[in-house]
Amino acid sequence: AQKVTQAQTEISVVEKEDVTLDCVYETRDTTYYLFWYKQPPSGELVFLIRRNSFDEQNEISGRYSWNFQKSTSSFNFTITASQVVDSAVYFCALSEPGSARQLTFGSGTQLTVLP
Amino acid sequence: DTAVSQTPKYLVTQMGNDKSIKCEQNLGHDTMYWYKQDSKKFLKIMFSYNNKELIINETVPNRFSPKSPDKAHLNLHINSLELGDSAVYFCASSQRGKHIISNTEAFFGQGTRLTVV
């Protein structure tokens, strides 16, 4: 069965610090997708990134970067020069082949960026 | 123009009542989902429909009944509400594709916060 672990329940940083959110996953499939979603205090779920299992290239989007390593089954997320607006719960999720390809979510990491 | 919209955003009701949450997507996706987020923020799949056909029904009490009148709509009806049903319910949609590699990401509605008193 698939599983996503986000061991960091809460992280606090001061504005402009860099912060990395960890995500470790388990799956028996060789083909799968990994995702990160952001849930700000307003409550909606905002899609950040999708990565398929065949593409281990790291990705950078502005202050956000993702490090996918199949060897360690990890898909970590780094925010550079954090800002107060980055404060949110961040979820890592896994989708594997199957009839619905639903998301299996990690338990989330609450990130608080202090001014 | 909201991609996935669900109504209502807040729902407060008494135990034993029946209530419905509606969801509509205008993305042209073929698959829709209901997820439940509990008080600890944990998100779990409840149901999934593909082209109006139920394809996932997780271990959810049969008081919960999804209905998909067409590809763009997936409603959730809950009978005999219980205190433990209090949660945030999210609707989502995605384009499944023939192979997982062609799957799109899921887009979520803004959530419905259900409070049973």
Side-chain angles (χ1 to χ4, degrees), chain A residues 2-22:
Chain A
Q2 55 187 346
K3 186 179 176 184
V4 177
T5 301
Q6 294 179 255
Q8 304 151 309
T9 307
E10 294 181 20
I11 300 177
S12 277
V13 298
V14 177
E15 209 170 15
K16 296 184 185 171
E17 284 184 0
D18 299 346
V19 58
T20 295
L21 310 182
D22 297 333

Side-chain angles (χ1 to χ4, degrees), chain A residues 14-54:
Chain A
V14 177
E15 209 170 15
K16 296 184 185 171
E17 284 184 0
D18 299 346
V19 58
T20 295
L21 310 182
D22 297 333
C23 173
V24 174
Y25 62 92
E26 294 175 31
T27 178
R28 293 180 184 171
D29 291 288
T30 55
T31 305
Y32 50 88
Y33 266 113
L34 295 163
F35 302 80
W36 277 93
Y37 283 85
K38 173 182 179 180
Q39 187 174 40
S42 50
E44 71 272 25
L45 283 161
V46 179
F47 165 76
L48 294 178
I49 189 170
R50 173 182 67 160
R51 172 67 69 220
N52 78 58
S53 53
F54 297 117

